[in-house]
Structure formats: C-alpha cells, structure tokens
Amino acid sequence: MEKSNFETSTYNNMLRYIQESPLSKVFYLEDFAQCGSYTSIRSEIVRLEQKSILIRLARGLYMNSIGYNSISMNHLIDIILEDFSKRYNVSIHPTGEYLLYKLGYINDLPKQIELGCNHSCSRVINITDKCKIIFKPSSLTWVTNIVNLHLRYLLILLQTRWKTTYKVEKDYTLKKQASKVNIKDFSLFCDIIPKRIRKKCIALNGFNQE
C-alpha cells in the first residue's frame, strides 16, 4: 500500500482508517465521513478499488482486500449480517432455504439469502454475482428472544412456507429439528410462544425428553 505524491489527504485518511480497522470489517461510504467531503470520498473510494486495497462487495459496501481474500463466502455473509444488525439496530433471523442451509439440512449455500427483520422496509444487497441477500419485514422477530437456538429455528421452520424447490422433506425436517429440543427448554419459553405455534410444536411429538 505505497503512497504517491499525488495522493490527497482524503485518500490518506481513508487508507489509514482501513489499515487501522479489523480485516473482517465491512465499510459503507458513511464510515469515511470524517475523512473528507462526500464528493472526495466517492472519488477516492474508486481509487482504492483500482489499487485493489478495497473490494466492492455490493453497491456502497466494501471490504479490505486482505480480509476478503482470506475468508469463505459463508463467513462473509455472516460478517455482513452481523454488521447490518448492529449498525442499524435491526433484529434479523434466517428463513427459507438459507435457514435449511444454516441447520445443515441442505449442503449448498443458496443464491438467495432470505432473512426476516423487524423493519418495515424490504432491502436487497447483491453480493457481486454470487448471491443476493434479501431482508423482509417479519412478524416473527419475537423469536430472537428465544435463547435456545434449536428451539428458535424450529419455531421459524414451523412458520416457513415450504417451496417445492426445497431439497428436503418438510415433515422429516420438522421432526429432526424437534428432536434437538429438550422438552424442558421448550417449557421455559412457553409464555413467549403464541398459542397456535405452541400447538404445532406439541403436535410434532418429537421433543427430546431427557
């Protein structure tokens, strides 16, 4: 990352900020607000891309090339989602085929990453040409209060609209997920779970009794 005599103070400020940040950090234009004017930041971020210092992940979303080149796509998605949740104070949860992938019921990372969130507006982030992250408003955000992840994901699966393209059978998946949930853990969160969903859980009759 050599500097030339033609590099501006905005460029140097941005470069310093990138170098001092964790390799796994993702950057939005707003992160560089203290480095210069909005116009100069937009101009210099193009130079940082051209010099392969920053990698453009999506529109307005970047990452240090060193960090990018050393991680898998699956890990990159996790980093983006964790940052998005903290940055905008949004509760998110995996849904659909992406949830099936996270739970190990399917092997391939879906091209379309579907997430429910407690925000009124939908949002889409296209990660290069590899996948699309879709945030959709969801009424299920209460599930983030369920500490037990096996139970949390079972509750989401129960409310998932099963598509014919899913490469896993619904009844098998639900019973398999229910078998990972201890009946005592389920009882602890009964007050949080809506009655109609509790009935669906009980009807599965597949909880771990230990």
Side-chain angles (χ1 to χ4, degrees):
M1 296 184 183
E2 295 182 357
K3 302 177 183 178
S4 73
N5 295 329
F6 300 101
E7 289 169 357
T8 66
S9 59
T10 298
Y11 177 93
N12 290 330
N13 289 338
M14 292 174 70
L15 182 61
R16 188 180 306 109
Y17 180 70
I18 293 166
Q19 292 173 332
E20 292 175 353
S21 299
L23 291 179
S24 59
K25 179 176 173 58
V26 292
F27 302 98
Y28 288 77
L29 286 177
E30 62 199 55
D31 292 330
F32 300 107
Q34 303 302 316
C35 297
S37 69
Y38 179 74
T39 301
S40 62
I41 289 169
R42 287 185 64 87
S43 175
E44 298 302 353
I45 209 161
V46 173
R47 293 182 65 201
L48 289 163
E49 282 186 80
Q50 292 172 341
K51 292 189 174 188
S52 298
I53 294 171
L54 282 182
I55 297 294
R56 183 181 186 272
L57 303 177
R59 183 178 180 182
L61 182 63
Y62 307 86
M63 189 173 190
N64 188 324
S65 61
I66 300 174
Y68 176 79
N69 292 327
S70 63
I71 62 175
S72 65
M73 178 55 64
N74 185 39
H75 188 197
L76 176 62
I77 297 298
D78 287 339
I79 290 172
I80 292 172
L81 296 184
E82 182 179 358
D83 175 85
F84 185 89
S85 179
K86 291 180 179 178
R87 184 182 294 263
Y88 299 110
N89 193 27
V90 174
S91 295
I92 59 178
H93 58 269
T95 64
E97 199 171 15
Y98 182 54
L99 175 55
L100 295 175
Y101 169 76
K102 293 289 286 182
L103 292 173
Y105 294 115
I106 60 175
N107 297 322
D108 299 323
L109 179 69
K111 289 283 188 179
Q112 192 160 292
I113 309 298
E114 297 180 358
L115 301 134
C117 65
N118 61 341
H119 196 282
S120 58
C121 297
S122 299
R123 180 166 181 175
V124 176
I125 299 177
N126 291 299
I127 305 299
T128 60
D129 59 346
K130 297 180 180 179
C131 71
K132 178 186 294 185
I133 302 177
I134 302 175
F135 299 90
K136 295 180 179 180
S138 171
S139 60
L140 282 179
T141 50
W142 55 267
V143 299
T144 56
N145 295 317
I146 306 292
V147 178
N148 186 293
L149 288 180
H150 292 310
L151 177 57
R152 180 191 300 183
Y153 293 144
L154 172 62
L155 296 171
I156 297 172
L157 287 172
L158 282 166
Q159 301 303 296
T160 296
R161 203 175 280 179
W162 222 260
K163 297 180 181 179
T164 55
T165 54
Y166 293 169
K167 298 177 181 178
V168 62
E169 202 269 332
K170 182 176 182 179
D171 288 342
Y172 163 80
T173 304
L174 292 175
K175 289 180 179 179
K176 183 73 173 178
Q177 189 63 27
S179 70
K180 300 176 182 179
V181 179
N182 189 296
I183 188 65
K184 293 179 181 178
D185 291 327
F186 172 71
S187 299
L188 286 174
F189 296 101
C190 272
D191 292 341
I192 298 177
I193 305 170
K195 185 176 180 180
R196 61 185 179 82
I197 303 179
R198 285 205 308 267
K199 287 182 177 179
K200 289 183 179 182
C201 288
I202 295 170
L204 284 173
N205 195 30
F207 289 123
N208 183 344
Q209 300 297 317
E210 294 182 2

